[in-house]
Amino acid sequence: MLKELRVQKEKIRSLTKQEKRSLRLGLAFISPWIVGFLILILYPIFSSLYYSFTDFASFRPPNWVGLNNYVELFTRDDKFFLSLYNTIFFFLLAMPASVIVALALAILLNSKLRGMTFFRSLFFVPTIVPAVASAAVWMWILNPQWGLLNAALRLVGIHGPPWLSSPDWAKPSLVLVALWGIGSEVIIYLAALQGIPRDYYEAALVDGANSWQRTFSITIPMITPVIFFHLVNGTIWAFQYFTEAYIMTGGGPGNATLFYSLYLYRNAFTNVKMGYASAQAWILFIVVMVATLIIVVSSKRWVYYEE
Amino acid sequence: MRNEYALLKNRPGNFRRGHAFREQVNHLIVYIILIVCGFWFIVPFLWMISTSLKTQPQIYTFPPVLFPLPPQWKNYVDAMNFAPFGRYYLNSLFLCTCVVIGTLFSNTLIAYGFSRIKWIGRDVVFVIVLATMMLPGQVTMIPVYIIFRKLGWIGGYLPLIVPAFLGNAYFTFLLRQFFRGIPFELSDAARIDGCSELGILWYVILPLSQPALVTITLFSFIWTWNDFLGPLIYLHDQKLFTVTLGLQSFISRYWTPMNMLMAASAVAIVPVLVIFIYAQRFFIEGISITGLHGR
Amino acid sequence: MNWKRLPFVILICASLILAACGGTQKTTEATKAPVAVATNPPATEPVTLVFWNGFNAHEVDTLNQMIEKYWNPTHPNIKIEAKGEVGPDQILTAVSGGETVDVAILWDPTPVKVWAYQGALVDLTPYIETQNANLEDIFVPAGLEWVKQPDGHYFGLPFVNFNRGFYWNKDLFRKAGLDPEKPPQNITELAEYARKLTIVENGEIKQLGWAINQDPSNLIELAMAFGGHFYDAQTGKITATDPKIIEALKWDVSLAKEFGLEKVNSFVAGFTGAGNDPFVLGKVAMTLSGCWTVTFIKNAGVTLDYGVGALPTADPAYARSNEVETNPIVVLKNTKHPQQAFEFAWFLATNPDVSREFANLVSNLPQVKAAMKNFSSDPKTMVFVDLSNSPNARGWAPVTVSAFYITEWTTAVQNIYTGSATPEEAMEVVNKNVQAEADKYK
């Protein structure tokens, strides 16, 4: 075993001149990131890791408590598991929905029909509305008595649930609100769609493919890199979902929308238990990394890079 | 772009006619879907505008009024005078411009390094970049604040601008994906011609990445424009406040003048909307990113 | 040792050291809040105090004007730099990041005790003693509870209190054939009137007589009207399972069940969000609401014929019960001028003119008895002012874990009204959780 390690070290030590040059070039190009990483990320990460093993309460020096925080989270804290469940539920609902909706909209908006500029702006506007305003707007729409959604449902004879006040419908309501802000993902997909060579479509057309076939055999495979990007980012976003729940439901009703990040925030600030919250943060870090790793590893199978 | 029908000239006539019909139907379906979805997307925004034109009692009527008459345009004037929004706009504009410059500068360099140069350990380091996106913000908030305080930057724009020059994992990721899609033959050719790496970035890669660059400019601008927490923590002097902090001033503990808040929010959206509509040009016609034939 | 790894190792060590250094400012620190000792430069040197608060720009301007008018003439050497719209979270971040904030006003009292426990605040007791004043005489007692620790030490001073009271819609009373000048006098009448004032059409509730499940904070005051206590003032134990609290909850829920729990929930859920107060909209005939609602109704330009008073109680012994809170003034431990900071805090807290003017501006109540006379020309506001000074006025749970308590209470209440728990079950859970949390702060 040791001998193999030594062989490895020899290999690394004897980089070719070309490889050494590439390495220097590569590092030079990413140097802004390296600086940012060391100062704004590495130090806070180690800080938070250290805090997670203490009873740090923000105002006074932390005392080492070892694994206490982690043990308490896993054994005596039912909100920990509840918030994790809520978050995973949200993730499993929101991710597929957002990929499908964003992709579908982008494909539609990519058509050469008149008025596309107007429609693109339309779908994008929600993303620039300040969070405060959009929360107020959506709380009105989801209003059980006279909100737009239930009014529309009443027209077709359905008695709509109390959305944000219903333990069963609160999370799906928030997914709906999140989908409203999908404009930015649509833009990214649009940019990617613009980059697909026209030749492919023409060739397919000559071969007699209809639009469905063209979509599924050309469009979608060609933008799998962007779908991958969307999935990875969406996963990270979904697991850290916080703002809308904080403003619109406060975690209710009955903790139905107590998401992991919301619970973390409460522990850190409301309950002044920064050490405990840091432990929570690290668990979240690991969970998200695992989820992302699964996506990254699987990506080798379904992502197509034109290289 | 060549006429579609020209491509079909080897097909029998009824195929061409059937194709034309199918295309018409497709177009109709597209419009229907877009209108239905568009309705869904625009209504909340319309309600926002509608509220901004109401008088106070009108906001609180039940059932709610959709088209307030007469429209209270003076709400917009009142809203802008509620707090020094003129200065806030300039501040936000300044801040966003600096951040966008930093973003474009740093992320193009970094993404280039991760996609167009093969170096030992590159992919491992990239995974670390991805991993950094996963650390929840709340916990790093205090250590980062400590760093800025030790540097003496609290109270000014530096904590908000400098990080933009140090890269952003999201934008780096996005650009890297795009850069990877550009054929290596192009940069190889340039390299053989004696072009430096920076030259390749500037002359070859960037021109072909316009959609992506426009995208990150747009997003970076919007996020900075709407950023609330950053200015809240780091800015103390009201003279430096941004538009989002200005919006917050409408929200008092017990009473929020919704009409003025909506009016101010609507005005806050305008610059971003203008930029977006302008940026649309880059999405309109297909920009072929391949320069080679027969692909 | 692989020399190539050295830089990395150094980096890790440096980070850990930084992290450790960032934490240990003082080496000796008791687990409870230490008494801050004043070793001040003499009070004649010019000093600038950093003053953060949660008020909006407009209110801060008014504060600055009052500082100009009342403070500057008598304290030329102490300049005040005020910054508004800062919530407790930002103060916490800043202070733990080492930022110098001298004085702060929090917009709700729940952080005070836990911050005091963690050593974030300066113990004001020694300074108060130099004032030779009896706080119980100066201040409305209910507001004081929030800033006083069980051992009698003060870690803050009250600044403009707020409470809730009973509102009834006189028009709706008339329409239902009730005398608009005779609100219900006790709980039984409240239920009776509620039934008379509830209108159901086609199986849908069109108007609710009593604001069932309107707000978890309202339910707290209702529980107080039944004589419920949320904690034991002597022992500090959490008493969420107080039978009187459960009785109050049962009363409210059973009233809801008369009209249909789901229907009531739907109706109530229709009015969430600021400015959507169903009482103001004329959809609910009787409710509990804050002292600020009087001003709100005026500002909203809504014409409403309504009355205000004390919530009817289950027993005359609990008459005029109401829940009082305050916006506490605190001095942060980072201050380099505790003496001057205290003087400013004392000024804010005890100056009757400041109290009167500012409380009126933010639709709150005066915290000093001296400001209660001529506080407002509006008789409705005066009702709330008097209520806040009644013998049964108190803070509901001025304990260290009050923030945690209110979160648990809110969840429990939501569970009760969605039918997933009975009041007994829900309160058991609350008691267990909150007591467990409170025990960590012994």
Side-chain angles (χ1 to χ4, degrees), chain C residues 27 36-37 65 75 79 85 116 136 183 208 246 282 323 332 427 436:
Chain C
T27 45
V37 179
Q65 281 165 26
H75 297 82
K79 290 257 165 301
E85 293 171 25
E136 308 277 328
L208 208 50
I246 297 185
E323 207 268 311
L332 284 314
M427 289 301 110

Side-chain angles (χ1 to χ4, degrees), chain B residues 56-71:
Chain B
Q56 283 286 10
Q58 270 179 327
I59 306 177
Y60 306 119
T61 52
F62 172 90
V65 176
L66 279 175
F67 298 110
L69 294 165

Side-chain angles (χ1 to χ4, degrees), chain B residues 41-262:
Chain B
F41 275 76
I42 198 70
V43 160
F45 184 67
L46 287 179
W47 183 82
M48 220 179 97
I49 304 289
S50 148
T51 305
S52 72
L53 295 171
K54 290 182 182 164
T55 60
Q56 283 286 10
Q58 270 179 327
I59 306 177
Y60 306 119
T61 52
F62 172 90
V65 176
L66 279 175
F67 298 110
L69 294 165
Q72 303 289 317
W73 294 106
K74 94 172 181 58
N75 284 344
Y76 281 82
V77 177
D78 290 340
M80 292 297 104
N81 288 331
F82 194 85
F85 272 99
R87 194 183 311 130
Y88 293 167
Y89 261 82
L90 288 176
N91 291 340
S92 285
L93 221 53
F94 171 72
L95 190 60
C96 289
T97 310
C98 292
V99 168
V100 165
I101 293 176
T103 303
L104 286 172
F105 170 75
S106 60
N107 289 304
T108 45
L109 287 175
I110 298 170
Y112 188 86
F114 276 121
S115 59
R116 309 298 296 187
I117 306 176
K118 263 195 160 59
W119 45 280
I120 305 265
R122 179 187 71 173
D123 293 330
V124 171
V125 177
F126 187 66
V127 170
I128 296 180
V129 173
L130 287 187
T132 62
M133 288 196 280
M134 300 177 214
L135 193 66
Q138 290 107 12
V139 180
T140 52
M141 214 159 113
I142 293 185
V144 168
Y145 189 89
I146 294 177
I147 293 172
F148 285 131
R149 206 187 68 81
K150 292 213 168 99
L151 287 167
W153 290 358
I154 303 286
Y157 289 130
L158 282 173
L160 301 168
I161 296 180
V162 170
F165 282 84
L166 301 177
N168 173 306
Y170 183 87
F171 294 136
T172 300
F173 191 5
L174 178 64
L175 276 182
R176 176 220 190 227
Q177 299 300 96
F178 265 82
F179 285 178
R180 273 181 84 164
I182 298 176
F184 278 82
E185 289 89 340
L186 290 175
S187 41
D188 289 343
R191 212 172 276 127
I192 291 175
D193 280 348
C195 200
S196 70
E197 294 296 335
L198 275 176
I200 297 176
L201 173 62
W202 183 260
Y203 290 112
V204 179
I205 305 294
L206 289 186
L208 293 175
S209 312
Q210 275 182 331
L213 293 177
V214 170
T215 306
I216 71 172
T217 303
L218 197 59
F219 286 177
S220 159
F221 188 90
I222 292 173
W223 292 351
T224 313
W225 186 264
N226 281 339
D227 182 23
F228 174 67
L229 209 57
L232 184 68
I233 298 179
Y234 295 119
L235 299 178
H236 295 171
D237 188 354
Q238 206 197 28
K239 290 202 266 303
L240 295 177
F241 277 8
T242 59
V243 171
T244 39
L245 288 186
L247 285 180
Q248 197 63 16
S249 61
F250 288 107
I251 303 175
S252 176
R253 259 206 93 191
Y254 308 120
W255 177 54
T256 305
M258 275 301 216
N259 50 357
M260 286 212 277
L261 175 61
M262 292 296 138

Side-chain angles (χ1 to χ4, degrees), chain C residues 127-142:
Chain C
Y127 301 95
I128 294 175
E129 274 160 16
T130 65
Q131 300 293 328
N132 282 324
N134 185 350
L135 294 191
E136 308 277 328
D137 287 337
I138 302 179
F139 293 107
V140 169

Side-chain angles (χ1 to χ4, degrees), chain A residues 4-304:
Chain A
E4 280 167 21
L5 280 178
R6 224 176 295 139
V7 169
Q8 290 270 14
K9 271 203 263 184
E10 289 302 320
K11 279 209 189 124
I12 296 175
R13 226 172 272 227
S14 62
L15 289 173
T16 65
K17 222 168 122 192
Q18 179 59 32
E19 283 168 333
K20 280 209 188 107
R21 182 175 170 273
S22 291
L23 182 61
R24 273 200 303 269
L25 262 179
L27 289 178
F29 269 95
I30 68 167
S31 55
W33 176 80
I34 295 180
V35 172
F37 177 71
L38 291 180
I39 302 179
L40 295 178
I41 295 177
L42 206 59
Y43 166 63
I45 283 186
F46 279 114
S47 276
S48 77
L49 183 60
Y50 169 65
Y51 291 149
S52 76
F53 294 115
T54 68
D55 66 352
F56 188 44
S58 297
F59 295 119
R60 60 193 175 116
N63 301 313
W64 187 265
V65 294
L67 289 172
N68 269 7
N69 290 332
Y70 292 96
V71 168
E72 169 125 7
L73 278 170
F74 279 103
T75 59
R76 282 191 294 268
D77 193 344
D78 42 349
K79 287 201 202 61
F80 169 70
F81 289 107
L82 180 61
S83 62
L84 203 54
Y85 164 77
N86 284 339
T87 306
I88 293 178
F89 183 101
F90 179 78
F91 164 69
L92 289 175
L93 199 56
M95 276 325 299
S98 75
V99 171
I100 295 175
V101 172
L103 193 50
L105 280 178
I107 293 177
L108 289 175
L109 288 172
N110 197 32
S111 40
K112 309 280 163 308
L113 302 175
R114 283 218 309 259
M116 284 305 129
T117 312
F118 166 72
F119 277 110
R120 283 175 202 154
S121 310
L122 195 70
F123 288 109
F124 190 68
V125 161
T127 61
I128 56 184
V129 174
V132 160
S134 62
V137 165
W138 273 99
M139 279 163 69
W140 172 80
I141 294 184
L142 293 172
N143 193 302
Q145 290 279 88
W146 33 268
L148 200 65
L149 187 53
N150 276 359
L153 287 175
R154 234 172 276 142
L155 284 177
V156 289
I158 305 178
H159 183 71
W163 301 113
L164 290 172
S165 309
S166 153
D168 296 320
W169 288 98
K171 289 194 277 284
S173 307
L174 291 176
V175 172
L176 203 60
V177 177
L179 283 178
W180 188 62
I182 206 143
S184 37
E185 275 71 41
V186 173
I187 294 301
I188 295 182
Y189 279 117
L190 255 181
L193 289 174
Q194 298 289 334
I196 300 178
R198 195 86 35 231
D199 312 23
Y200 289 174
Y201 290 114
E202 289 175 2
L205 196 59
V206 169
D207 284 346
N210 65 28
S211 28
W212 280 109
Q213 290 169 323
R214 292 204 298 272
T215 307
F216 279 97
S217 15
I218 303 176
T219 311
I220 295 191
M222 288 298 287
I223 46 173
T224 44
V226 184
I227 297 182
F228 170 63
F229 173 72
H230 185 188
L231 273 180
V232 170
N233 279 308
T235 303
I236 295 169
W237 165 82
F239 276 97
Q240 294 190 22
Y241 183 73
F242 169 79
T243 316
E244 286 74 12
Y246 179 72
I247 299 179
M248 296 170 82
T249 61
N255 286 339
T257 56
L258 184 69
F259 294 105
Y260 197 86
S261 281
L262 185 55
Y263 184 45
L264 197 160
Y265 172 88
R266 249 190 226 160
N267 279 325
F269 289 95
T270 316
N271 300 329
V272 197
K273 285 154 63 172
M274 193 55 85
Y276 195 65
S278 303
Q280 258 192 289
W282 272 85
I283 296 177
L284 180 66
F285 196 0
I286 293 171
V287 168
V288 174
M289 274 212 282
V290 166
T292 311
L293 211 62
I294 294 177
I295 296 177
V296 169
V297 164
S298 81
S299 81
K300 307 246 189 297
R301 298 257 192 91
W302 54 272
V303 177
Y304 170 73

